[in-house]
Structure formats: C-alpha cells, structure tokens
Amino acid sequence: SQQGEEDPQALSIQEGENATMNCSYKTSINNLQWYRQNSGRGLVHLILIRSNEREKHSGRLRVTLDTSKKSSSLLITASRAADTASYFCATDYSGTYKYIFGTGTRLKVLA
Amino acid sequence: GAVVSQHPSRVICKSGTSVKIECRSLDFQATTMFWYRQFPKQSLMLMATSNEGSKATYEQGVEKDKFLINHASLTLSTLTVTSAHPEDSSFYICSAPDRNTEAFFGQGTRLTVV
C-alpha cells in the first residue's frame, strides 16, 4: 500500500499551544496536500505544497516538505478550540491529482 | 474558486436497494474524477478513477460490479452502490482536478444502509 503514515495518531493540547503533525510517505511525489476534517464532515483544504517547495505558510499554519526524507509536517501555532479536528496529508505520486491519504492525526485542543 | 458539488449529502436506504451519488464540477470541466470511501474513524481510501467517456479504473479490492461509476459528461460523475448492504454504510467523497491548479473535493455523502 502506498498509504502514508501520520504521527501522532492522536494529539491533545491546551489552547494557545502549538501542534505539530508529521506525515511520511513511500515514493517520490508530485505534490502533497494537508486537509482538515471535522467529525462527520467534508474535507477542508489547508495547504498544497509541491515537490520543489520546502515550506509554505498560511495564517497560523506552516507546512514543510523534506523530499529526501519523504516527509512533511504541519504546524498549527497558537491553537484554538476550533482547531479540534482530524488532519490528513494526501500525496499525489503521479501528478494527476489522484491522492493517497495518510492515516490521519486526531487533534483535540482543550479550552 | 473551483467548486465540486456532491449530492445527496446524506442518504438512508434499505438493504438490497441501489443508491446513486452525483459529483459535479460547477465551473470547470473534469475529464477525470476520483471516488473515495471513509469508514468511521478511518482515513479516506481511494476507490476508483472515473474517466469521461471510458470505463472507470478501480483500485484493488473494490468490486466494480457493486460500485458502478459513470462519467457521462465533462462535469458529472455518478457512483451507484448496487444492492447495498449495511457494510456499505460509509462516507463517500469525490474529487475533481482542475488541471491548472489542484483537486477539489465534494462535500461528501453519508450513506446509511438499514
């Protein structure tokens, strides 16, 4: 299976703290995306990072990509209770936007 | 930005019946769309690639006779779950790539088979 692994599987932090989630994948990618999913809901796109990029920012989110290690990380700074959700990385190996999702990290931010 | 609309958002059906889920790209054309399935507390698993004007490509382990995919136009793909059973209850979600940018996901369909 090409499914990526994410760690931790679950993370519980206090509001205001930073949350870091990691994603490892198996073969070379074209691009990688991070998504958020609230319980029982659809996906919310967070950030797309391409294979020739190393870091991207969007508001309180920072994504890094290390293609030599086949890994990516998502950092959420100054977390809020509303950030409580599951976070998934999704990798595109072929450049066709056919994504393989990682196992996900369940984040709980305590108020 | 590009939008993908999925319908219905929720459906309950009786065991043995068939259910059709639609995925539409609203402001762009998509020759390819993707269908995913997500069981509770699990990740999304790719089921199949829907190809406009040709047969769908199914991932290993997905029954093509059970999950019928039709991509009749450049803006519409449908997934029909045939003879649904309780174990087919899941969250189904589609995506469509806008070739110039990225893939956009529908809102998802929660199927409950009773």
Side-chain angles (χ1 to χ4, degrees):
Chain A
S1 169
Q2 288 184 312
Q3 185 177 37
E5 296 283 332
E6 290 183 57
D7 78 273
Q9 289 187 358
L11 179 60
S12 185
I13 58 174
Q14 295 292 324
E15 205 166 30
E17 294 181 339
N18 296 343
T20 299
M21 289 156 262
N22 302 294
C23 167
S24 60
Y25 54 91
K26 298 185 179 177
T27 62
S28 297
I29 60 170
N30 180 277
N31 65 82
L32 181 150
Q33 304 221 47
W34 283 91
Y35 289 92
R36 185 182 75 221
Q37 185 181 38
N38 291 82
S39 180
R41 300 285 191 91
L43 297 173
V44 174
H45 174 250
L46 298 177
I47 291 182
L48 178 150
I49 188 164
R50 300 192 184 277
S51 59
N52 60 351
E53 298 174 311
R54 291 297 167 259
E55 188 171 309
K56 289 189 85 168
H57 296 255
S58 176
R60 294 184 295 114
L61 307 180
R62 172 176 167 252
V63 166
T64 62
L65 178 65
D66 187 334
T67 52
S68 66
K69 294 182 179 178
K70 295 186 173 57
S71 67
S72 177
S73 68
L74 169 67
L75 168 67
I76 304 174
T77 60
S79 64
R80 305 166 181 168
D83 295 328
T84 295
S86 291
Y87 291 82
F88 296 94
C89 66
T91 48
D92 176 7
Y93 293 96
S94 60
T96 61
Y97 300 108
K98 180 170 81 170
Y99 285 99
I100 305 299
F101 281 79
T103 48
T105 295
R106 294 190 306 281
L107 173 66
K108 180 179 283 189
V109 181
L110 304 171
Chain B
V3 176
V4 172
S5 177
Q6 194 171 332
H7 177 80
S9 58
R10 289 180 179 272
V11 58
I12 301 173
C13 72
K14 291 185 177 179
S15 190
T17 62
S18 296
V19 173
K20 181 185 285 187
I21 303 169
E22 293 186 347
C23 180
R24 291 180 186 275
S25 57
L26 296 185
D27 53 2
F28 64 99
Q29 294 181 333
T31 56
T32 303
M33 293 186 180
F34 302 102
W35 287 96
Y36 298 82
R37 178 171 57 184
Q38 183 182 33
F39 291 110
K41 298 191 187 304
Q42 295 187 24
S43 185
L44 287 81
M45 299 300 293
L46 179 66
M47 297 176 67
T49 302
S50 174
N51 303 298
E52 189 270 335
S54 64
K55 291 183 179 179
T57 307
Y58 291 83
E59 297 299 306
Q60 193 172 13
V62 178
E63 300 174 59
K64 59 183 178 184
D65 293 331
K66 180 165 188 62
F67 299 99
L68 300 180
I69 291 173
N70 185 283
H71 196 145
S73 77
L74 286 170
T75 59
L76 174 64
S77 174
T78 60
L79 168 68
T80 301
V81 183
T82 63
S83 186
H85 289 97
E87 57 265 32
D88 298 322
S89 298
S90 188
F91 187 67
Y92 294 86
I93 191 166
C94 67
S95 75
D98 179 346
R99 62 183 177 205
N100 294 325
T101 56
E102 60 189 86
F104 296 91
F105 283 81
Q107 310 95 313
T109 297
R110 184 156 307 281
L111 170 63
T112 304
V113 184
V114 297

